[in-house]
């Protein structure tokens, strides 16, 4: 599979106006921990006329405590059907710790900024975008 071509096609399908967009592009996802995916996305964006300097890319990682993550997972499992795979994998806080540890190994380098709360991430995003945080 040619990942850059897949990303280019996806961008043009999902965001057909990406060529006319001016300003920031905010992308969310755990996949950015992998250089090969992040590079494919920036290559696809460049093919759409959106090139970035290294300083334009901000890598933010929401890293709440294990007990907060476990509480959120338990709440989600109670309120959402169709999560049998997650229900089988995550039964204890130790399962959460193991999962986060394996993911955190991919988040390396000084470029990644870690945040314990979503409010802190929102404030950082507002700073990057030079705007204020609003809550509804």
């Amino acid at each position: 599979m040619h990942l850059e071509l897949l990303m280019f096609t996806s961008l043009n399908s999902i965001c057909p106006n990406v060529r006319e967009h001016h300003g920031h592009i905010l992308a969310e996802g755990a996949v950015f921990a992998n250089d090969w995916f992040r590079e494919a996305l920036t290559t696809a964006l460049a093919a759409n006329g959106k090139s970035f300097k290294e300083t334009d890319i901000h890598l933010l990682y929401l890293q709440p405590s294990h007990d907060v993550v476990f509480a959120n997972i338990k709440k989600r499992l109670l309120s959402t059907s169709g999560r049998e795979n997650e229900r089988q994998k995550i039964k204890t806080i130790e399962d959460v710790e193991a999962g986060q540890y394996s993911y955190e190994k991919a988040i390396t380098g000084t470029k990644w900024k870690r945040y314990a709360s979503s409010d802190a991430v929102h404030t950082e995003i507002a700073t990057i975008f030079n705007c204020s945080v609003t809550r509804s």
Side-chain angles (χ1 to χ4, degrees), residues 68-79:
V68 169
V69 173
F70 189 51
N72 287 338
I73 289 170
K74 287 193 305 186
K75 185 175 168 184
R76 183 173 63 239
L77 290 176
L78 289 173
S79 64

Side-chain angles (χ1 to χ4, degrees), residues 10-74:
S10 298
L11 279 170
N12 284 293
S13 174
I14 296 167
C15 308
N17 63 344
V18 70
R19 286 184 188 275
E20 290 81 36
H21 176 75
H22 299 287
H24 297 283
I25 295 174
L26 179 64
E28 183 276 329
V31 292
F32 283 93
N34 300 301
D35 289 337
W36 58 268
F37 190 91
R38 193 169 53 251
E39 290 167 5
L41 178 60
T42 55
T43 299
L45 286 166
N48 275 297
K50 305 294 176 194
S51 59
F52 302 96
K53 295 178 283 193
E54 196 62 29
T55 56
D56 292 334
I57 299 172
H58 304 272
L59 303 173
L60 314 178
Y61 176 48
L62 177 58
Q63 185 181 22
S65 65
H66 298 130
D67 58 329
V68 169
V69 173
F70 189 51
N72 287 338
I73 289 170
K74 287 193 305 186

Side-chain angles (χ1 to χ4, degrees), residues 76-134:
R76 183 173 63 239
L77 290 176
L78 289 173
S79 64
T80 309
S81 63
R83 293 200 167 274
E84 199 53 42
N85 189 32
E86 185 177 31
R87 192 172 279 107
Q88 293 301 316
K89 281 183 172 179
I90 304 172
K91 296 179 180 178
T92 67
I93 196 163
E94 288 79 16
D95 297 332
V96 171
E97 290 170 352
Q100 283 191 320
Y101 176 73
S102 66
Y103 180 70
E104 288 168 13
K105 287 193 306 185
I107 307 296
T108 59
T110 57
K111 290 178 151 189
W112 284 95
K113 295 180 183 178
R114 298 167 188 258
Y115 299 90
S117 74
S118 57
D119 286 342
V121 172
H122 292 177
T123 300
E124 178 67 15
I125 291 169
T127 301
I128 292 167
F129 289 171
N130 196 24
C131 64
S132 61
V133 177
T134 57

